[in-house]
Amino acid sequence: MPTKTFTPAFMATGLVCPAGMKKIEYGVDGDPGLFVECRASQKSVPTWYLRLKNEKGTNIYKKLGTIKDLSLTQAQKLAKMLRAEHASAAKQGDAAAAAPAEMTLDVFVRDHVNPHNAMRKRSHGRDLQLYHRIGPKFGHLKLTEIRRREVQVFHNELVQVDKLAPASADHHIVYLKRILNLAQQWEFLEKNVLAKVPLMKVDNKVERYLSAEETQRLVAVLTTDLAYGASYALLFLLSTGARLNEALQAKWEQVDLENAIWRIPASNSKSKKSRAVPLNDSAMWVLSQLWTKGKHDYLFVNEATNKPWVTLTRAWYRLRAKAGIENLRVHDLRHSFASFLANAGQSLLLIQQLLGHADPRTTLRYAHLSGEKLKEAANEASVIVRPSGSKAA
C-alpha cells in the first residue's frame, strides 16, 4: 500500500485507480491504519477505511465514509475515536476472559443465564423454581469448583431427604447441566463436568386413553352441560387433538370456516412453527355453537367474566366427575384423539402431521394402538391359512 501525504492537491487529483488495476489503497502518511480505497469503476467514490487488529491478531476494517462525506481532518478524528473504542472493548474482553475463573454460579445464572432464557424459553419460570434448590447448594461456588460427585450426592438427596419423585429430581440435574452447557458454549468453561452425570430415568409416562364407552359418556356431558362455555373448549380439544394452550389462544382470524382450516401461528405452537389443522365435522360443530363469533377476538371466552379462558382445570374436574371418569387429564384428550386415528388404521406419519409433532419418535407412543390393524394387514399375506373371507391368489 503506497503511503501519501494527503495535501489538498493530492486529494483533488491524486485519488485515482491506475490503469490496469481494479482498486488501490493509499495510506495516510503519519496515521497508520487510515487509508483511502479507490476503485476503477467510474461510479465509485474514493472511500475512507480504518484498519485495526482483532484479538486473534488478524486485520479488521471499519468503513468511515467517502471523501465527499469526510475531509482528512474529520476522517482522522473519527479514526482516533474508533481506535479508542476498539482498545476499550479489547480491555473489557480481556477482563471478561479472566472473569469466569472467579465467577460464582449465582452470578452466572443471574447475569447471563436468566436474561438469555427469559427471551427463549417458555419454561423459564419453572427453571427459576428449580434453582431455589440448586442455588443454596451450589450458588456460592465458582463455575470451575462445581464437581460431579457433589452433584450426584445432591441428586440422591432430592429423593431420599426432600422426598421428591425421581423424575422431579432429574429435572434439577438436567437444568444444572444446561447451565454449564451454556457456560461452555459461551467459553466461560472449557468443558461441562456434569455432561455424564446419569439420571434416574424413571419411566413415568402416563398412557391414558378414553375407551369407546368413556368417550360416549364424556361427549354426552360436554354437549349438555354448557355452563360458562368450558365444555366447548374441551370438545374442541377432543375433536382436534390440539394442545390446551393452542386452543385457549386461538382467535377467529386464524380460522378459515369455508375451507375448515385452523392455522396455529408459530407464537402459539410448542414447536415454534406455524401449522394448519384440518377441522373435522365435530370441530366445525363446536365452532358453530360459540357465541364469540363476531363479538370477540378469541374463540373460547368465559361467559361469566367475558375474558378468554386461562385454565380449564376446575371445570374439567367437575365435568369429568359428572361423566364418571377417573384419572384422565385434559392433555389425555389429545392422546385420545391420536388413539382414535391409530385404531382407525391411520398411519403414524399422518398422526404426526395432525398432532404437529416435530420429532416422529414422539408419535411412536401410539404405534401399539394400531396393533390389530397391523395384524389384519399382515394376515393379507398369510400363505398357509387365509383369513376368513379372503381368497387365495
Side-chain angles (χ1 to χ4, degrees):
M1 177 191 300
T3 301
K4 300 290 184 179
T5 300
F6 275 58
T7 63
F10 174 73
M11 292 190 66
T13 61
L15 291 174
V16 294
C17 184
M21 297 179 65
K22 292 184 178 180
K23 69 175 183 177
I24 189 172
E25 297 170 353
Y26 295 106
V28 177
D29 186 28
D31 204 336
L34 181 62
F35 64 91
V36 170
E37 179 187 88
C38 300
R39 292 183 175 270
S41 172
Q42 293 182 352
K43 296 182 179 180
S44 177
V45 178
T47 303
W48 293 102
Y49 283 89
L50 176 65
R51 183 180 63 252
L52 300 166
K53 295 284 187 181
N54 62 19
E55 67 277 3
K56 296 180 181 179
T58 56
N59 290 332
I60 58 174
Y61 297 89
K62 300 283 188 179
K63 184 177 180 180
L64 307 185
T66 69
I67 61 171
K68 292 182 179 180
D69 301 324
L70 299 172
S71 65
L72 172 63
T73 302
Q74 290 172 325
Q76 288 178 317
K77 287 183 178 179
L78 182 56
K80 183 178 181 180
M81 181 183 71
L82 290 175
R83 287 191 187 100
E85 290 179 353
H86 185 70
S88 176
K91 290 181 180 179
Q92 291 177 3
D94 292 340
E102 302 300 321
M103 185 179 296
T104 65
L105 182 66
D106 275 344
V107 172
F108 178 65
V109 170
R110 182 195 67 206
D111 295 348
H112 300 276
V113 177
N114 286 345
H116 175 80
N117 286 346
M119 296 180 61
R120 293 167 175 82
K121 291 188 67 179
R122 288 185 178 180
S123 59
H124 176 56
R126 174 59 174 158
D127 290 344
L128 296 178
Q129 293 175 349
L130 295 174
Y131 198 74
H132 286 326
R133 285 192 174 91
I134 296 172
K137 189 73 175 181
F138 302 104
H140 65 287
L141 296 177
K142 300 174 184 177
L143 293 177
T144 54
E145 293 176 340
I146 297 174
R147 297 289 180 265
R148 186 180 302 137
R149 172 59 184 162
E150 284 71 20
V151 171
Q152 288 178 316
V153 170
F154 169 69
H155 192 192
N156 293 335
E157 289 177 348
L158 289 175
V159 175
Q160 298 169 352
V161 179
D162 294 358
K163 305 301 180 183
L164 295 186
S168 297
D170 281 350
H171 289 321
H172 290 76
I173 304 307
V174 168
Y175 179 51
L176 191 49
K177 284 184 177 183
R178 286 175 179 166
I179 291 174
L180 295 196
N181 275 342
L182 289 175
Q184 182 182 17
Q185 177 183 329
W186 295 334
E187 299 179 347
F188 286 78
L189 290 175
E190 292 186 4
K191 66 177 182 178
N192 182 354
V193 296
L194 305 184
K196 295 185 179 180
V197 171
L199 301 178
M200 296 182 182
K201 293 183 178 179
V202 176
D203 186 7
N204 64 342
K205 290 183 179 179
V206 178
E207 298 290 347
R208 175 72 163 94
Y209 310 96
L210 283 167
S211 67
E213 193 270 335
E214 286 177 327
T215 302
Q216 290 181 352
R217 294 205 313 266
L218 181 61
V219 170
V221 169
L222 295 181
T223 52
T224 55
D225 190 324
L226 306 177
Y228 307 121
S231 294
Y232 289 131
L234 294 165
L235 279 169
F236 192 72
L237 294 175
L238 186 59
S239 301
T240 61
R243 298 179 179 90
L244 177 62
N245 184 62
E246 293 171 342
L248 297 188
Q249 294 187 38
K251 295 182 177 181
W252 282 107
E253 64 184 21
Q254 300 160 3
V255 178
D256 182 349
L257 293 174
E258 182 177 351
N259 296 304
I261 294 290
W262 168 34
R263 302 188 186 281
I264 301 177
S267 57
N268 294 354
S269 174
K270 182 179 180 180
S271 65
K272 293 298 183 182
K273 296 180 180 179
S274 60
R275 63 188 180 99
V277 178
L279 299 174
N280 58 26
D281 292 343
S282 294
M284 292 296 289
W285 179 87
V286 171
L287 295 182
S288 71
Q289 305 300 307
L290 299 180
W291 65 272
T292 53
K293 183 72 169 76
K295 299 179 181 180
H296 210 289
D297 291 341
Y298 290 87
L299 269 62
F300 302 106
V301 175
N302 188 331
E303 291 185 70
T305 64
N306 198 36
K307 295 181 180 180
W309 288 95
V310 176
T311 178
L312 299 175
T313 302
R314 293 182 63 182
W316 170 242
Y317 287 162
R318 181 181 67 81
L319 295 165
R320 182 185 68 178
K322 188 173 181 179
I325 298 174
E326 297 180 353
N327 302 321
L328 188 78
R329 304 165 303 170
V330 170
H331 194 70
D332 291 328
L333 299 179
R334 176 173 165 85
H335 293 321
S336 296
F337 173 80
S339 75
F340 299 156
L341 295 172
N343 290 327
Q346 301 297 342
S347 69
L348 291 179
L349 176 60
L350 184 146
I351 296 173
Q352 176 192 348
Q353 292 174 337
L354 288 175
L355 294 183
H357 286 156
D359 189 338
R361 290 175 295 181
T362 307
T363 319
L364 287 176
R365 70 173 68 180
Y366 306 113
H368 70 282
L369 297 174
S370 57
E372 287 302 315
K373 293 295 179 181
L374 291 174
K375 184 177 179 181
E376 290 176 12
N379 269 331
E380 293 301 320
S382 177
V383 295
I384 300 177
V385 179
R386 302 294 296 170
S388 59
S390 298
K391 295 180 180 180

